[in-house]
Amino acid sequence: SCMSSAFDYGFLLHTSEEATATVALNEYLSSRSYLAGFSPSRVDQEVFELLHRPPAPQHVHALRWYRHIAALHLPNGLIKCVLCFFFLVKGKRVQHPWAAPAGSNLPKLRLYNSLTRTKELFVPQNGNKVSWYCCGPTVYDASHMGHARSYISFDILRRILMNYFQYDVFYCMNITDIDDKIIRRARQNYLLEQYREKKPAAAQVLQDVLSARGPFQAKLAETTDPDKKQMLERLDSAVAAALGPLQGAVESKAGEVLLEKAKDLLSDWLDAQFGSQVTENSIFSLLPKFWEGEYHNDMDALNVLPPDVLTRVSEYCPEIVDFVKKILDNGFGYESNGSVYFDTAKFATSQKHLYGKLVPEAVGDMKALQEGEGDLSVSADQLSEKRSQNDFALWKASKPGEPSWDSPWGKGRPGWHIECSAMAGSILGESMDIHGGGFDLRFPHHDNELAQSEAYFENDHWVRYFLHTGHLTIAGCKMSKSLKNFITIKDALAKNTARQLRLAFLMHSWKDTLDYSSNTMESAVHYEKFLNEFFLNVKDILRAPCDITGQFEKWEAAEMELNESFYERKAAVHAALCDNVDTRSTMEEMRALVTQSNTYIASRKSSKLQPNRMLMKSIALYLTDMLKTFGAIEGSEPIGFPVGGDGCLQMETTVMPYLKVLSDFRESVRKIAREQNVTEVLQLCDVVRNDTLPELGVRLEDHEGLPTVVKLVDKETLLRERNEKKKMEDEKKNKKEEAAKKKQEQELAKLAKMKISPCDMFRSETDKYSSFDETVNIQQLVSPRMTWRGRISVKDRPRSCGNSTRPRRNCTKSISRPIKMAAESPGPRSVVKRSGMSQMVTPLL
């Protein structure tokens, strides 16, 4: 080919842009002719390889040359495939470089770790699996709101980790059914029941109560803790009140009352005398078994998920004995008089261990340590068994009147702290991701758990993240079961629903103090109502008839703005949940989203337009899904709170078409009645809306120029709303009537005052005037225009007299001023306003 001499070879090969090279090639080839079968030159070969794709169709000569060279390179049978390859495949392979978007870093979950007292990045030890142990209740009495505080909060955290962050959570919880409090309470209940069965006479009850009151009052006098002292004083006052009528006249009925009021005193007294004689283990198992059942019922009522594994101390005594043995073998415990104690000094001085990781400043707090040991384990002889007051019991030698199990150290029972270590270790192994409990368990319970577990497993990381829920107060006051200042879960559920309680917890941080009060619950109730109204409005929007294509409506600026805000709120919710599962901020973001959606709906309806169906559905589905994640909504209904319990979705699906027919019929009747001014028919329509349908759990909302909105609402809610509305209307009516009555009384009083003669009226105002001049003549003028002259004496007041501004005791003024009066006036006016003061005048005749 002569192309090498005629073609600008160097220019073409050094052209970086393929489009420029193609133009040059096409211009050169426009003067050449081709014969099929000629052999391409080296230059043809290099230029061909320079082009990565066939030239564009407008470059006719270059494209024809390109196809010709391609055909000569391969056998005839592959020409078609080659052309297809170059036009299709090769073109894709050599597309322009793609620039990946920079993107942004998503927030990562951080949890407040009590071990570091800061928010730490959450990293499970084993991939996506999260091992979690939670300290369960000590079951000797009814579960109270303090339990609800801890277990609802952990249920919310657990659900969010599972359902929102998609972790595979394995949740283990214990039941403490062996404990000093349980032993004492079981003995006391048993002895008191035996006492009741004997049916003692009133005189005997009186004598026994008086005997029991002596040591009780001695205990009261010794108590220094103000909360405990106040509780004991309340008990003593109740007993004193019941003693009064019985001491005057011994009656059997009064004896029963006294027995009930003094049962705590009698229980302590009977236990002190006969407690050591109670030896049957079954007596100590009946009480915790009953209250454990009540606890599970309460958790089910609160919609708290059950644990994956539940452990009971009474079922793990062999494992606890083995656990204690190994701690002894590792050199961190010692036996003393049949009990085994943990050697805190030995542990603290070892190179790989630390004692008091959670609350180091509390180490040595004797009050906390003794509370941790239990009331039955702090006698002087037992305290003397320890090498150090900081040491705590791993295994306690059982005394008479206590349950016992066999061990290498004799009959005994587990210490409080060891139970969690042995049970959690048996289920979760040498290290867990999360350990949870109440804030008050940090020391000594959890610090001792950490020490004995790390002594057993010989590591320093038995727990990676320690989570502690905040305290619960009742109307600002400390709550305590031992102080008898608590509200049971059943009592709380009698006032509010489980959803409302959960919403109240969601609206506060899980790690901070929560005050259970009427204000707290009122906020939760209002929040629930606020969300429910939005869900009902969206359901009504989605029920509006449309064909399958009509549900996709054009988006205008309002929809774009709301959708942008929707995604911003979702991002804010994610950031809040990543920030130590901040449900408080999450609920506020959800509230703001609903507020914006309500504003959008209202603006559309004011323009007589339907809100965008798909956008409203997306927002409602998201909110419903988040509430399901939090455990605030149960069931499979896609949008909103279920109505009417189980099967509510089927009920709404079945009933709503009939309600829609009724609503449309009523609207047609109202239209005709308005046009023909038939007020009786309109009143009947109002009765259906206000009285009849609410009894069936149906709310109708009439909007001028728009279809009536039909909502299925809980019947009790509607009736309560109706009663509140009626109450407000009655109050408004009463205020209006009172205002009218007051106004009428004022008019009558004014009219009566006008009928009093001037002299008599002024004489009654002794607070203003000190004396009256009886000698002044009154000039009676017949004409409507008359001149009044007179003298007054006013009491000592700091008012001006003449040109002086100093107070005068008896300042006498002469007044002469014309007064214009109507002819029909009942008499001359008796008060002349001067300098802001009413002055008495005596008319001159």
Side-chain angles (χ1 to χ4, degrees), residues 576-592:
L577 293 179
C578 286
D579 183 17
N580 194 38
V581 192
D582 181 4
T583 57
R584 181 179 179 275
S585 297
T586 296
M587 300 297 277
E588 287 304 315
E589 294 293 342
M590 292 168 60
R591 185 201 301 271

Side-chain angles (χ1 to χ4, degrees), residues 382-650:
Q382 287 176 312
L383 291 175
S384 65
E385 295 174 355
K386 300 179 181 181
R387 295 177 183 173
S388 167
Q389 295 301 306
N390 291 329
D391 296 348
F392 55 89
L394 301 173
W395 185 264
K396 301 178 180 181
S398 292
K399 300 190 298 294
E402 297 178 0
S404 61
W405 286 262
D406 292 327
S407 79
W409 317 284
K411 292 282 188 180
R413 56 191 177 90
W416 177 32
H417 315 300
I418 195 66
E419 62 180 67
C420 290
S421 294
M423 292 186 291
S426 298
I427 302 297
L428 302 178
E430 66 178 15
S431 184
M432 69 185 75
D433 293 305
I434 297 175
H435 191 317
F439 185 81
D440 55 335
L441 296 179
R442 295 177 308 150
F443 186 88
H445 185 51
H446 286 159
D447 262 328
N448 288 350
E449 271 189 51
L450 281 168
Q452 64 198 9
S453 299
E454 292 177 358
Y456 176 90
F457 290 110
E458 296 186 285
N459 64 22
D460 63 348
H461 52 265
W462 186 58
V463 175
R464 296 294 189 175
Y465 299 84
F466 241 121
L467 310 183
H468 290 99
T469 55
H471 284 301
L472 181 125
T473 57
I474 300 177
C477 300
K478 177 183 176 182
M479 196 214 72
S480 169
K481 184 187 287 187
S482 62
L483 298 178
K484 301 183 182 300
N485 170 37
F486 65 93
I487 295 176
T488 66
I489 290 174
K490 285 184 173 59
D491 289 340
L493 287 173
K495 298 178 182 178
N496 296 99
T497 65
R499 180 190 301 135
Q500 289 164 354
L501 289 173
R502 186 170 290 251
L503 288 174
F505 283 38
L506 285 163
M507 293 166 71
H508 293 78
S509 169
W510 61 269
K511 63 174 286 293
D512 296 333
T513 298
L514 169 67
D515 186 50
Y516 175 73
S517 63
S518 57
N519 289 337
T520 300
M521 295 314 304
E522 186 177 351
S523 297
V525 170
H526 286 166
Y527 193 96
E528 178 191 41
K529 184 177 180 180
F530 175 72
L531 288 177
N532 191 44
E533 285 302 311
F534 171 71
F535 289 137
L536 292 174
N537 286 329
V538 172
K539 287 181 180 181
D540 180 72
I541 292 168
L542 296 179
R543 280 195 296 267
C546 73
D547 55 28
I548 194 168
T549 60
Q551 60 184 321
F552 300 101
E553 300 138 312
K554 181 183 178 182
W555 281 31
E556 304 291 351
E559 286 76 24
M560 294 294 293
E561 181 181 353
L562 179 57
N563 187 64
E564 183 178 357
S565 178
F566 175 30
Y567 277 83
E568 289 175 355
R569 297 294 177 188
K570 285 200 289 186
V573 165
H574 180 72
L577 293 179
C578 286
D579 183 17
N580 194 38
V581 192
D582 181 4
T583 57
R584 181 179 179 275
S585 297
T586 296
M587 300 297 277
E588 287 304 315
E589 294 293 342
M590 292 168 60
R591 185 201 301 271
L593 177 58
V594 173
T595 299
Q596 289 175 305
S597 300
N598 287 339
T599 302
Y600 165 76
I601 293 173
S603 66
R604 295 290 290 178
K605 287 192 173 183
S606 66
S607 302
K608 302 297 188 292
L609 297 172
Q610 277 291 326
N612 188 283
R613 298 166 63 97
M614 298 307 291
L615 180 55
M616 290 295 97
K617 183 178 180 181
S618 297
I619 293 174
L621 285 172
Y622 168 75
L623 293 170
T624 302
D625 184 61
M626 291 305 300
L627 291 169
K628 286 181 178 179
T629 297
F630 300 153
I633 291 182
E634 298 178 78
S636 58
E637 188 170 1
I639 291 178
F641 301 123
V643 181
D646 296 335
C648 59
L649 180 59
Q650 291 75 12

Side-chain angles (χ1 to χ4, degrees), residues 73-94:
H73 268 75
L74 294 172
N76 291 336
L78 296 178
I79 291 177
K80 187 174 182 181
C81 295
V82 170
L83 290 176
C84 179
F85 171 82
F86 276 108
F87 277 96
L88 300 178
V89 180
K90 188 174 180 181
K92 288 186 178 180
R93 286 178 59 192
V94 295

Side-chain angles (χ1 to χ4, degrees), residues 34-103:
Y34 291 93
L35 296 174
F38 84 96
S39 298
S41 68
R42 182 177 57 84
V43 176
D44 286 323
Q45 182 77 23
E46 290 180 347
V47 173
F48 178 84
E49 291 176 357
L50 179 66
L51 301 179
H52 296 97
R53 60 177 60 80
Q58 64 264 30
H59 305 304
V60 179
H61 303 291
L63 179 60
R64 185 171 59 183
W65 170 84
Y66 187 95
R67 291 175 179 174
H68 190 71
I69 301 301
L72 293 175
H73 268 75
L74 294 172
N76 291 336
L78 296 178
I79 291 177
K80 187 174 182 181
C81 295
V82 170
L83 290 176
C84 179
F85 171 82
F86 276 108
F87 277 96
L88 300 178
V89 180
K90 188 174 180 181
K92 288 186 178 180
R93 286 178 59 192
V94 295
Q95 286 181 341
H96 291 294
W98 175 75

Side-chain angles (χ1 to χ4, degrees), residues 661-680:
V661 170
L662 172 63
S663 174
D664 292 344
F665 174 76
R666 174 179 169 276
E667 186 59 31
S668 300
V669 170
R670 290 176 71 232
K671 181 180 179 182
I672 296 172
R674 281 195 300 267
E675 290 173 352
Q676 300 185 12
N677 197 24
V678 186
T679 56
E680 293 84 355

